[in-house]
Amino acid sequence: MGGYYDAGDNVKFNFPMAYSTTMLAWSVIEFGKFMGADLKHALDAIRWGSDYFLKATSIPGIVFAQVGDPYADHSCWQRPEDMDTPRTAYAVSRDHPASELSAEIAAALAASSIVFRKYHLAYASRLLRRAIMVYIYIREKSINIFIYAASYMFIFFFSQSYNLVRFWN
């Protein structure tokens, strides 16, 4: 449960989802006071993504990278309720790292924690603890490993610069 599908198909790519969650969180941090009644919708959207990333990083040393086969699911345009394709989950780990993916998820969790400090302190603290756990894993693996380690994602999301992604996060 949780997370967002990519485009109109049934695959969840965590790399762009983490970026989108981070940007949405920063939008609330910067402009939440101007959102009026729509602020609740923005908070719900951030929480939906953040809850998913808490699940995707719940096993120390493992970060789930995507759910679904990108080739099969790009050919399958139907409601998630009607899916009958396998829900294969792909992960990166210490043996098969993709540190820029982990960094992007850590950024999403950290930015979301800033948002929720004002509304739900216990949840914000949980997000921040998880962001730190994921970031420590990245620091331990701070070598120039792009998404090549997750070759199933490489064709869809190519990172030109490890340092560009790392410093953004």
Side-chain angles (χ1 to χ4, degrees):
M1 294 283 299
Y4 294 98
Y5 291 106
D6 181 64
D9 53 21
N10 295 322
V11 66
K12 292 181 182 181
F13 288 114
N14 292 1
F15 193 55
M17 188 189 320
Y19 174 81
S20 298
T21 302
T22 303
M23 295 308 297
L24 184 55
W26 276 112
S27 296
V28 169
I29 292 165
E30 293 292 323
F31 304 108
K33 62 185 170 218
F34 303 112
M35 291 182 170
D38 289 328
L39 177 61
K40 181 194 177 317
H41 301 296
L43 294 173
D44 288 345
I46 295 167
R47 186 157 191 145
W48 186 258
S50 297
D51 284 350
Y52 174 78
F53 288 128
L54 286 171
K55 294 172 193 168
T57 59
S58 62
I59 303 169
I62 294 176
V63 174
F64 285 90
Q66 78 182 48
V67 176
D69 180 321
Y71 298 101
D73 284 341
H74 272 89
S75 300
C76 179
W77 290 66
Q78 63 187 24
R79 298 178 329 145
E81 296 85 356
D82 297 333
M83 281 189 298
D84 58 3
T85 55
R87 300 289 71 213
T88 306
Y90 298 89
V92 296
S93 65
R94 295 187 195 293
D95 295 330
H96 302 318
S99 48
E100 78 288 16
L101 167 71
S102 302
E104 199 72 54
I105 291 174
L109 290 165
S112 297
S113 77
I114 294 169
V115 169
F116 285 103
R117 271 193 312 214
K118 192 174 185 181
Y119 306 101
H120 194 300
L121 189 56
Y123 183 65
S125 297
R126 183 174 175 214
L127 292 170
L128 184 58
R129 281 191 307 273
R130 186 62 57 81
I132 291 168
M133 181 188 86
V134 173
Y135 187 74
I136 288 170
Y137 159 73
I138 299 160
R139 236 183 22 201
E140 291 171 358
K141 285 289 184 187
S142 65
I143 51 179
N144 290 349
I145 297 179
F146 295 151
I147 233 152
Y148 296 112
S151 60
Y152 48 86
M153 287 175 38
F154 174 72
I155 210 152
F156 296 96
F157 300 101
F158 176 67
S159 179
Q160 292 287 333
S161 169
Y162 166 82
N163 285 325
L164 177 65
V165 173
R166 185 164 180 230
F167 291 131
W168 149 251
N169 298 299

